[in-house]
């Protein structure tokens, strides 16, 4: 039991004793010196528990950590890191294994500590007195063990919780995502650089040489390894507990090693399709991005087919990223396969505008906020519901049994700035009774001013009673009578055939670039 809990229990026992003895004194009559002494004990206990050891809850951990030991916390995936604030002028870290570590203090650069273990002084030149922010990451090609045993602070110094990003991005990949051959491993790879630029926390579930498909290398493929606490070279690893954190975005970059190991395209496609479904089961609300392999579009055909299969199955939050011509030979290390530090920065800069609109901090671009019926038409009774909405002042509501629920011609075409390759349409869709919906349905967005002219269209997909968040990648849309101009959108319609009267609503209709 830690010191704070002991003092809290002591206070509780005092209060219980007062009640049991039917003490007639009120709390205000309790001796001032007793309360003051208890207060001092709580303060001292709180300070002593914020001293940088393994019980210190101010230290925040990112990655897949094993907290089962009371003497060391261990991660066996590269790119695991911790963050904390501390007072004083010096800080040391206690490490239980020899490896490469990367340290950032305040707004300084990442400093490398190669091949260190034991108690490592992170401030050989003392800092100015005050409060500082510390981040420590680990990564060494094929050797991903971060054995953390606590911090050593100045006498009397304490810790505090550090700033933490609102969202977390999980990156799944092979040696490229692991920063293989980079000067600072994960800290200098595209996944880390992109996440830091977006202000998100991040995990890198990546390992050099790994395939997606198991059975073609000594270690399991990512189809098995991703779901483990430890990296695939730890074949006896227990499963990972996915309740420990939730990813806002998942980015997958796999296929390079499958190609090198001659995995058949059909096998890769079916395995990727299943893998995407399994990742979705772990993160029901995440946007899942699947990158085309950076080198020569390797495995692009089966990768796109797997993404399309998931979209067809109703998962509109799986998005394919076309990386054609993102990097050239000048962006690679001498091996011609792994990007250089500058190559990783280039990839990160190209990913940033694709991923950023899906973060919690993004400012949505609305085609229509659905707060008024102005300009909208319906074959049913159309109204605004101000009591049950998802954003703004209301939600557009249709009640009746006709197919046409919502349609609008925009008198001024809308410039969305979206890309057909990476953009999506997203909105909230409410259904009162899904059992009365028939299979004939569609979402239509176009620049032809009406139905079936320069139109993107999608099936709505699987629904539940109540609100559903609908996300449809533009790359997955059908196209009718000409490709729409995403910078001149002037038409939208949502229809759904019915077997009886149904109430539907839409809200927050937006385009994500």
């Amino acid at each position: 039991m830690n010191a704070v809990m002991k003092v809290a229990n002591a206070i509780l026992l005092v209060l219980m004793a007062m009640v049991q003895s039917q003490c007639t004194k009120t709390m205000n009559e309790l001796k001032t010196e007793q309360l003051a002494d208890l207060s001092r004990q709580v303060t001292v206990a709180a300070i002593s528990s914020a001293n940088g050891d393994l019980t210190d809850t101010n230290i925040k951990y990112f990655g897949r950590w094993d907290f089962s030991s009371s003497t060391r916390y261990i991660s066996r995936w590269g790119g695991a890191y911790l963050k904390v604030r501390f007072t004083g002028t010096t800080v040391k870290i206690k490490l239980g294994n020899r490896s490469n570590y990367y340290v950032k203090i305040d707004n300084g650069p990442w400093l490398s500590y190669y091949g260190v273990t034991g108690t490592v002084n992170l401030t050989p030149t003392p800092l100015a007195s005050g409060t500082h922010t510390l981040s420590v990451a680990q990564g060494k090609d094929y050797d991903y063990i971060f054995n953390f045993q606590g911090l050593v602070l100045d006498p009397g110094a304490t810790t505090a919780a550090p700033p933490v990003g609102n969202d977390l991005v999980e990156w799944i990949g092979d040696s490229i995502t692991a920063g293989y051959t980079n000067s600072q491993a994960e800290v200098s790879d595209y996944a880390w650089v992109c996440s830091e630029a977006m202000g998100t926390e991040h995990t890198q579930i990546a390992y050099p040489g790994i395939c997606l498909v198991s059975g073609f290398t000594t270690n399991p493929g990512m189809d098995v390894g991703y779901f483990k606490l430890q990296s695939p070279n730890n074949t006896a690893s227990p499963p990972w507990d996915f309740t420990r954190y939730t990813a806002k975005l998942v980015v997958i970059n796999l296929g390079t090693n499958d190609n090198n190991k001659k995995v058949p395209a059909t096998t890769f496609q079916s395995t990727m399709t299943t893998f995407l479904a399994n990742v979705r089961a772990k993160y029901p609300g995440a946007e899942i991005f699947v990158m085309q392999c950076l080198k020569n579009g390797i495995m692009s055909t089966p990768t796109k087919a797997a993404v399309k299969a998931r979209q067809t199955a109703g998962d509109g939050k799986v998005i394919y990223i076309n990386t054609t011509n993102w990097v050239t030979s000048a962006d690679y290390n001498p091996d011609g396969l792994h990007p250089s530090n500058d190559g990783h920065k280039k990839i990160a800069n190209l990913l940033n505008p694709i991923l950023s609109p899906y973060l919690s901090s993004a400012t949505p671009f609305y085609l229509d906020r659905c707060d008024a019926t102005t300009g909208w038409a319906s074959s049913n009774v159309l109204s605004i519901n101000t009591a049950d909405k998802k954003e703004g002042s209301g939600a557009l509501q249709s009640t009746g049994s006709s197919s046409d629920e919502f349609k609008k011609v925009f008198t001024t075409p809308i410039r969305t700035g979206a890309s057909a390759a990476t953009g999506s349409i997203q909105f909230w869709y409410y259904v009162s009774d899904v059992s009365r919906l028939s299979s004939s349905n569609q979402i239509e967005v176009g620049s032809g001013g009406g139905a079936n002219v320069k139109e993107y269209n999608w099936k709505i997909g699987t629904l539940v009673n109540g609100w559903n968040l609908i996300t449809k990648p533009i790359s997955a849309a059908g196209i009718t009578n000409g490709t729409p101009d995403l910078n001149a959108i002037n038409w939208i319609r949502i229809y759904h055939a019915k077997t009886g009267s149904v109430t539907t609503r839409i809200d927050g209709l937006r385009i994500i670039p």
Side-chain angles (χ1 to χ4, degrees):
M1 183 182 297
N2 64 37
V4 174
M5 288 299 298
K6 288 179 180 178
V7 174
N9 283 342
I11 294 172
L12 181 59
L13 289 172
V14 169
L15 294 176
M16 290 174 65
M18 290 172 60
V19 173
Q20 283 184 329
S21 64
Q22 298 181 342
C23 179
T24 59
K25 291 183 179 181
T26 66
M27 285 298 294
N28 289 331
E29 293 172 308
L30 187 64
K31 291 181 180 179
T32 303
E33 61 269 23
Q34 290 176 307
L35 286 175
D37 183 60
L38 287 173
S39 177
R40 282 192 296 271
Q41 290 183 56
V42 170
T43 301
V44 170
I47 290 174
S48 65
S49 69
N51 61 2
D53 66 19
L54 295 186
T55 67
D56 190 342
T57 58
N58 289 325
I59 303 174
K60 305 303 178 184
Y61 300 86
F62 301 92
R64 295 187 177 180
W65 287 85
D66 182 352
F67 299 123
S68 61
S69 171
S70 62
T71 59
R72 61 187 182 274
Y73 293 166
I74 297 180
S75 177
R76 296 179 185 269
W77 285 99
Y81 64 102
L82 57 84
K83 298 167 71 171
V84 69
R85 298 173 72 200
F86 67 96
T87 62
T89 62
T90 69
V91 62
K92 300 179 180 70
I93 188 169
K94 294 188 289 185
L95 302 168
N97 68 296
R98 187 176 302 279
S99 190
N100 297 345
Y101 298 88
Y102 311 99
V103 175
K104 183 181 178 72
I105 296 179
D106 297 331
N107 293 317
W110 285 98
L111 301 177
S112 300
Y113 290 77
Y114 294 123
V116 296
T117 189
T119 300
V120 181
N121 185 1
L122 305 181
T123 50
T125 300
L127 306 169
S129 182
T131 301
H132 304 280
T133 300
L134 170 70
S135 299
V136 184
Q138 184 274 345
K140 181 181 179 183
D141 294 343
Y142 295 107
D143 173 17
Y144 302 111
I145 302 177
F146 192 158
N147 185 326
F148 175 65
Q149 299 180 0
L151 301 174
V152 179
L153 306 179
D154 289 342
T158 60
T159 64
V164 172
N166 291 327
D167 294 329
L168 183 142
V169 183
E170 183 133 285
W171 303 83
I172 306 172
D174 49 36
S175 58
I176 296 172
T177 305
Y180 184 78
T181 73
N182 279 24
S183 62
Q184 292 185 312
E186 276 87 355
V187 173
S188 54
D189 71 24
Y190 74 89
W192 188 290
V193 173
C194 183
S195 295
E196 294 286 306
M198 295 190 300
T200 66
E201 305 304 337
H202 41 91
T203 57
Q204 285 154 274
I205 311 304
Y207 194 82
I210 196 168
C211 295
L212 167 67
V213 183
S214 292
F216 289 82
T217 57
T218 302
N219 296 325
M222 197 61 84
D223 59 339
V224 173
Y226 171 72
F227 302 95
K228 301 294 187 178
L229 168 65
Q230 302 166 353
S231 56
N233 58 320
N234 301 278
T235 54
S237 171
W240 169 243
D241 178 5
F242 280 85
T243 65
R244 291 275 294 278
Y245 61 74
T246 299
K248 177 72 172 177
L249 311 181
V250 176
V251 186
I252 301 169
N253 183 1
L254 289 166
T256 299
N257 294 312
D258 297 83
N259 180 78
N260 295 342
K261 295 296 182 180
K262 311 297 184 191
V263 176
T266 54
T267 302
F268 183 85
Q269 178 181 326
S270 63
T271 305
M272 177 64 84
T273 303
T274 301
F275 182 66
L276 292 173
N278 291 339
V279 173
R280 167 61 67 222
K282 299 302 183 183
Y283 295 130
E287 305 285 347
I288 300 175
F289 295 86
V290 185
M291 294 176 62
Q292 174 186 317
C293 291
L294 293 159
K295 189 74 172 180
N296 302 325
I298 290 170
M299 288 291 191
S300 60
T301 298
T303 301
K304 283 190 286 188
V307 171
K308 184 72 173 179
R310 288 298 304 151
Q311 294 169 343
T312 302
D315 192 344
K317 301 181 81 171
V318 177
I319 300 167
Y320 181 75
I321 299 179
N322 187 332
T323 64
T324 301
N325 297 324
W326 276 23
V327 287
T328 68
S329 58
D331 300 312
Y332 284 92
N333 286 323
D335 66 8
L337 180 61
H338 298 95
S340 63
N341 284 9
D342 287 340
H344 276 282
K345 290 177 184 176
K346 185 176 181 181
I347 297 164
N349 289 338
L350 290 165
L351 279 168
N352 191 322
I354 295 172
L355 303 180
S356 292
Y358 293 86
L359 299 175
S360 300
S361 58
T363 301
F365 175 83
Y366 290 102
L367 283 175
D368 197 292
R369 301 191 74 156
C370 305
D371 291 339
T373 58
T374 306
W376 286 94
S378 175
S379 298
N380 299 309
V381 176
L382 192 64
S383 63
I384 294 295
N385 189 313
T386 59
D388 187 12
K389 60 188 189 309
K390 298 305 290 187
E391 64 84 35
S393 61
L396 201 61
Q397 178 171 296
S398 166
T399 302
S401 57
S402 296
S403 295
D404 269 5
E405 296 175 349
F406 310 99
K407 57 185 176 182
K408 183 174 184 177
V409 176
F410 297 87
T411 55
T412 302
I414 296 176
R415 181 179 182 85
T416 69
S419 161
T422 59
S424 299
I425 181 172
Q426 186 177 86
F427 60 96
W428 287 97
Y429 185 59
Y430 172 92
V431 183
S432 63
D433 188 351
V434 296
S435 69
R436 295 186 177 184
L437 298 178
S438 299
S439 59
S440 177
N441 65 80
Q442 197 157 273
I443 305 163
E444 301 170 354
V445 174
S447 58
N452 303 321
V453 181
K454 292 185 177 179
E455 173 191 280
Y456 287 122
N457 48 70
W458 306 262
K459 284 286 189 180
I460 294 176
T462 305
L463 299 168
V464 298
N465 287 340
W467 284 104
N468 301 263
L469 180 61
I470 307 296
T471 307
K472 297 295 180 182
I474 296 169
S475 61
I479 297 175
T480 303
N481 293 326
T483 302
D485 183 350
L486 285 166
N487 289 319
I489 295 299
N490 60 7
W491 163 256
I492 184 166
R493 178 170 69 159
I494 299 172
Y495 72 78
H496 217 138
K498 304 172 180 66
T499 60
S501 181
V502 178
T503 294
T504 59
R505 302 183 193 113
I506 59 170
D507 204 1
L509 182 63
R510 68 183 185 128
I511 292 286
I512 301 173

